[in-house]
């Protein structure tokens, strides 16, 4: 891709439009006010999507088709793309009021000592999602604290089994696989049928 910031901005504008396309006017206006008030580049791109009419959305979808064309060119020469799954490694559980409109758009995370909008976590997801490419996230390693380091493998359009098969080969060879964090509570991985009351 030529410019990843443009790619992410296009994703956010389409996302904002899609999330509000069926919402009543009052809900759209409340979401728009929250995004504008937040004011960071991510929120403002989504606000542009919320404001958009059919002409803007049609233009963005045409841009998305150009991005899909560049991915077709990429995958003509490459089988897979390996990328981070998230903006940073695993972090402590972060909860916020999920009943709020566009929950999380006013929240932040600290990554490598910098405060960033919580929705920045969508950046690496947008790499595949904007163009509808299949992606499979996996724990590639662990941090020194035992938390997973996530990567994703992305494959060509409609080739879902390519990244899944690749990860199957890595797992069979012992290069990847789930390892429980050292402080995981006993029974946390039990299926609901295996859990015992009390």
């Amino acid at each position: 891709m030529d410019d990843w910031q443009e790619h992410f901005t296009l994703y956010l504008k389409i996302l904002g439009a899609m999330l509000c396309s069926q919402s009543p006017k009052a809900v759209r206006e409340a979401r728009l006010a929250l995004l504008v008030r937040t004011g960071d580049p991510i929120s403002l791109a989504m606000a542009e999507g919320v404001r958009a009419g059919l002409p803007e959305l049609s233009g963005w979808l045409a841009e998305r088709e150009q991005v899909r064309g560049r991915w077709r060119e990429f995958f003509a020469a490459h089988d897979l793309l390996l990328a981070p799954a998230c903006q940073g490694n695993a972090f402590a559980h972060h909860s916020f009021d999920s009943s709020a409109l566009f929950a999380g758009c006013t929240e932040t995370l600290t990554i490598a000592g910098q405060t960033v909008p919580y929705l920045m976590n969508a950046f690496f997801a947008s790499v595949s999602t904007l163009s509808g490419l299949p992606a499979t996230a996996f724990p590639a390693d662990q941090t020194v604290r035992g938390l997973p380091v996530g990567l994703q493998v992305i494959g060509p359009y409609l080739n879902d089994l390519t990244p899944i098969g690749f990860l199957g080969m890595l797992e069979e060879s012992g290069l990847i696989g789930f390892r429980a964090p050292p402080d995981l509570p006993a029974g946390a991985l039990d299926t609901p049928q295996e859990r015992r009351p009390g």
Side-chain angles (χ1 to χ4, degrees), residues 83-121:
C86 203
Q87 194 65 15
N89 295 329
F91 49 85
H93 178 71
H94 187 80
S95 62
F96 44 81
D97 180 6
S98 62
S99 66
L101 295 175
F102 274 33
C105 74
T106 58
E107 300 293 322
T108 59
L109 286 174
T110 302
I111 298 176
Q114 279 191 302
T115 300
V116 298
Y118 186 81
L119 292 177
M120 191 65 182
N121 272 317

Side-chain angles (χ1 to χ4, degrees), residues 42-144:
I42 292 171
S43 298
L44 293 177
M46 288 183 70
E48 195 173 338
V50 173
R51 265 192 215 105
L54 185 57
E56 293 87 2
L57 182 58
S58 296
W60 298 332
L61 295 177
E63 285 181 53
R64 181 177 69 179
E65 288 309 310
Q66 293 173 358
V67 172
R68 284 180 169 166
R70 291 195 296 272
W71 279 119
R72 280 190 294 276
E73 291 172 13
F74 175 86
F75 284 115
H78 306 280
D79 295 325
L80 299 163
L81 173 67
L82 190 62
C86 203
Q87 194 65 15
N89 295 329
F91 49 85
H93 178 71
H94 187 80
S95 62
F96 44 81
D97 180 6
S98 62
S99 66
L101 295 175
F102 274 33
C105 74
T106 58
E107 300 293 322
T108 59
L109 286 174
T110 302
I111 298 176
Q114 279 191 302
T115 300
V116 298
Y118 186 81
L119 292 177
M120 191 65 182
N121 272 317
F123 176 81
F124 285 108
S126 79
V127 172
S128 61
T129 305
L130 177 63
S131 298
L133 302 175
T136 306
F138 65 99
D141 203 350
Q142 290 183 328
T143 65
V144 294

Side-chain angles (χ1 to χ4, degrees), residues 141-162:
D141 203 350
Q142 290 183 328
T143 65
V144 294
R145 293 190 344 250
L147 296 173
V149 175
L151 294 177
Q152 64 176 323
V153 61
I154 302 170
Y157 184 67
L158 297 179
N159 283 269
D160 299 55
L161 295 179
T162 301

